[in-house]
Each structure stands twice: as structure tokens, then as C-alpha cells.
Amino acid sequence: SAVISQKPSRDICQRGTSLTIQCQVDSQVTMMFWYRQQPGQSLTLIATANQGSEATYESGFVIDKFPISRPNLTFSTLTVSNMSPEDSSIYLCSVDPTHSNEQFFGPGTRLTVL
Amino acid sequence: GENVEQHPSTLSVQEGDSAVIKCTYSDSASNYFPWYKQELGKRPQLIIDIRSNVGEKKDQRIAVTLNKTAKHFSLHITETQPEDSAVYFCAAISPGGGNKLTFGTGTQLKVEL
């Protein structure tokens, strides 16, 4: 597995503002994934972040709303832009450190938008 | 794209009994099927997985079976304990999907004393 950390662990934000979530891994990984987990729901993939290329977004998620950076092989950020209460969720990053499809998750960022 | 259905949504068992959670998938090319356990307020934790070239896999009290013909796979937990209480998610990866996980809707398992 890998040691994955996220910052912040939680935040309460006002509508219309933006929040950047950081994901740090203790080893170099090719792909990093960003998921959203709405309260009491399953996990939905937002985008796949590859180092050196544009992130690949899933249907229903757009770059203007969820811009992603991937400056190196151990770090990525997800920004939730122009937030509304509907963005209140847990946001998790995950990695596949051994290229075996086994994905391991970070601890998540619990976002509440007022 | 891949679609994964999971049943039941809630499951209550007595301590020591077995629990079975079932998932079906839509893409016959899917080749990797993990199971995650998520305790309240915690991250999803990979507990077992199975690949399409295997029909069954066991790890102590947990096992997963895969029926490729029927496109379904199941999680079996034997001798359940209170610490098994959590939400369990199945997932699938299809080769054409860029290694992305498609999750089932989750099963809330409660093990009662």
C-alpha cells in the first residue's frame, strides 16, 4: 500500500468561495484519482490526474468547477470552485501504487458549504 | 460504461452468523473486483479483491466469489463479529475504463450481539 495524506481534513466554507484540497503520497505514483462521497452515498469518481497531462474528467464533472493540478508524481490538488451547499461532501484521493488496480484511499476531506 | 448494482442495502446479522453481500456488473470485459470496508468517519479500506481469472478467493473469515457468466460477485463473511459492522462497497474495473473504479451503492452491515 501507500501512505496517503490529505489537507485539510475538514472545512466549513461559505457559498461562492473556493477550496483547494491537497493529496500527498509517500511514493511516486502514475495515476491519482479524485472521488466524491456525498452524505450516506457511494463513491463517485470526479477525475483521474496524471502527471504531465490534463486530468480526465468523468461525465458530470467539469474542469471549471473542479480544477486539478498534478505537479509531480507524489502530489495533487483538487479545487472545488464557486461552492454551493450541494458541494458538501467528502472528497477523497486514491492511488494505485503498484499498477495492479489495487487502489488505496486517503483519509478524505469533509467539506461543508453554508 | 460500467454499472455495478449491490444488494442488500442493509443487512443485520447475529454475531457468529454469516453475511453475504452480492453485486452484479454490466461490462463483461471487467476484470478486477475489489471490496472496500468503510467504518463511520473513516476512509474506505480494501479488504479483499478478485480478478477475472479466479473463481474464489479467501482470506481468513472473508471470501469473494466471482461468476463471470452471470456477471456477479459476492462477499462472504463468516463468524461475524461486532467489529465487522461497517458499510461495504463492491467495485469493478473494466479494461477500457482507464483503471477507474465503479462502485456499488454500498451495504450497511450491522452485527448484533
Side-chain angles (χ1 to χ4, degrees):
Chain A
S1 62
V3 177
I4 309 166
S5 60
Q6 284 186 235
K7 290 181 181 180
S9 58
R10 58 178 62 225
D11 207 341
I12 300 173
C13 301
Q14 297 297 318
R15 70 167 66 215
T17 63
S18 298
L19 177 71
T20 295
I21 302 167
Q22 300 178 7
C23 180
Q24 179 77 51
V25 190
D26 68 340
S27 59
Q28 294 184 340
V29 293
T30 304
M31 289 192 290
M32 296 178 80
F33 304 88
W34 286 99
Y35 290 84
R36 181 175 74 181
Q37 186 174 30
Q38 295 179 303
Q41 302 296 312
S42 184
L43 292 89
T44 301
L45 181 65
I46 298 171
T48 302
N50 295 326
Q51 195 268 337
S53 63
E54 293 286 331
T56 303
Y57 288 83
E58 297 302 305
S59 176
F61 298 96
V62 295
I63 187 171
D64 290 348
K65 176 67 176 178
F66 297 100
I68 287 171
S69 77
R70 184 78 202 274
N72 57 54
L73 292 173
T74 64
F75 187 78
S76 178
T77 68
L78 169 76
T79 298
V80 186
S81 302
N82 188 24
M83 289 184 285
S84 67
E86 292 72 35
D87 294 320
S88 297
S89 288
I90 299 172
Y91 293 86
L92 301 110
C93 64
S94 75
V95 300
D96 173 9
T98 59
H99 303 279
S100 63
N101 288 334
E102 295 180 354
Q103 284 190 29
F104 299 94
F105 284 85
T109 295
R110 182 179 294 271
L111 171 62
T112 301
V113 184
L114 302 178
Chain B
E2 176 66 277
N3 182 53
V4 178
E5 296 187 356
Q6 183 172 347
H7 300 281
S9 57
T10 61
L11 179 59
S12 184
V13 299
Q14 294 293 315
E15 183 181 9
D17 288 350
S18 295
V20 181
I21 303 170
K22 299 181 179 181
C23 290
T24 60
Y25 59 98
S26 61
D27 187 351
S28 58
S30 289
N31 57 8
Y32 176 71
F33 308 92
W35 286 88
Y36 287 85
K37 174 183 180 182
Q38 188 175 32
E39 297 176 75
L40 188 64
K42 302 288 183 63
R43 74 185 81 189
Q45 181 181 14
L46 179 65
I47 57 171
I48 195 168
D49 56 15
I50 192 167
R51 300 184 188 274
S52 57
N53 59 346
V54 176
E56 183 175 5
K57 183 177 180 181
K58 290 183 179 180
D59 183 3
Q60 299 182 340
R61 295 188 297 109
I62 61 174
V64 57
T65 58
L66 172 64
N67 183 328
K68 289 190 294 183
T69 303
K71 291 190 286 186
H72 68 70
F73 57 112
S74 300
L75 177 71
H76 305 253
I77 306 174
T78 58
E79 301 174 23
T80 53
Q81 302 168 2
E83 51 264 39
D84 294 328
S85 296
V87 179
Y88 292 81
F89 292 99
C90 63
I93 286 182
S94 59
N99 277 24
K100 66 177 184 181
L101 284 168
T102 300
F103 281 87
T105 48
T107 297
Q108 174 75 63
L109 173 65
K110 182 177 181 180
V111 180
E112 298 177 333
L113 297 172

